[in-house]
Amino acid sequence: GILTPLFNPNPEFKELRFGPVQHLKWKNSQGIEAFGAIVIPTPPRHGDRYPLIVVQYRSRGFLRGGTGDEYPIQLFAANDFAVLSFSHPAPLSDVLPAKTREEADRKAMEGWADRWSIEASLETGVQHAIATGTIDPRRIGLTGGSDGATTAQFALLNSNLVTAVAIGTCCDEP
C-alpha cells in the first residue's frame, strides 16, 4: 500500500520555482471573446518591466508552451521574460451569420477577415499584458508554429506590435 519511486528522471523538478500566473479575458474589435495567461518572471522584481514573449495559438491552461509545447513558458519566466500564453478567438466562420457553412467560410476569408480578427485579439491581449505595468512595450516577441506561424507572419506584415519572432511554417505564403 505504499508508493516507492523506482526512478526519478527529473530530480531537479522539485527545486523549480514557477512564476505567478494572471489569467486575462477580453473581446477583440469584432466583439469576439479571447483569453490568455501571463506569467511573470520568478521571483518578480518590484518595478521591473520585462520583455514579453507571446506563445500561441491555443492556451489550454497547462502553460507548457502553447500549441505543441514548443516554447517553455516557465523556463522563459525563470530567465527574466514575461510570457503571454495567447489563445486565438473563435473562428469568424463560427460566429458570422450565414445560411450555410460554405457561406460562413467565404465571409471569413474575404479581405482576410478571420486573420484581422485574430490580429485584433492578439493586439488587445498584448495591451492587457502591458497594462499590468510589468511589460516593456518596446520588447515584444511572438512565437508560432502551424497556424501560429501564419498569425506571426500576418502580424509582421500588418502591425508594429512585435520586435522579434520565432516561427515554424504553416499554411499561407507571406
Side-chain angles (χ1 to χ4, degrees):
I2 297 172
L3 295 176
T4 304
L6 298 178
F7 173 70
N8 182 355
N10 298 301
E12 66 281 357
F13 189 82
K14 68 180 179 203
E15 303 300 323
L16 295 178
R17 292 174 44 197
F18 294 104
V21 178
Q22 180 181 358
H23 295 278
L24 305 170
K25 289 185 180 184
W26 62 89
K27 289 185 180 183
N28 70 13
S29 56
Q30 290 88 359
I32 301 171
E33 292 182 353
F35 66 91
I38 186 167
V39 179
I40 303 301
T42 308
R45 293 185 309 258
H46 181 69
D48 280 355
R49 290 169 37 127
Y50 301 100
L52 177 68
I53 297 173
V54 181
V55 301
Q56 48 161 342
Y57 57 97
R58 291 284 176 254
S59 181
R60 295 183 176 97
F62 294 108
L63 303 179
R64 296 185 308 192
T67 299
D69 302 327
E70 297 96 344
Y71 302 98
I73 293 172
Q74 292 292 346
L75 183 60
F76 289 150
N79 286 279
D80 292 330
F81 290 94
V83 182
L84 174 64
S85 181
F86 164 69
S87 198
H88 285 192
L92 276 181
S93 57
D94 289 354
V95 297
L96 289 173
K99 292 179 181 164
T100 66
R101 181 66 186 189
E102 193 173 82
E103 179 186 356
D105 288 342
R106 193 171 34 257
K107 284 182 175 183
M109 291 297 289
E110 287 174 5
W112 296 97
D114 195 49
R115 285 283 142 209
W116 282 112
S117 175
I118 295 168
E119 177 65 23
S121 291
L122 174 63
E123 290 192 18
T124 302
V126 168
Q127 291 305 319
H128 279 281
I130 291 169
T132 66
T134 59
I135 305 304
D136 180 347
R138 297 168 295 133
R139 297 186 295 164
I140 297 174
L142 179 59
T143 67
S146 186
D147 189 64
T150 302
T151 298
Q153 290 173 338
F154 194 85
L156 285 171
L157 292 169
N158 296 289
S159 170
N160 293 320
L161 176 72
V162 298
T163 54
V165 296
I167 60 173
T169 60
C170 185
C171 317
D172 297 309
E173 291 294 321

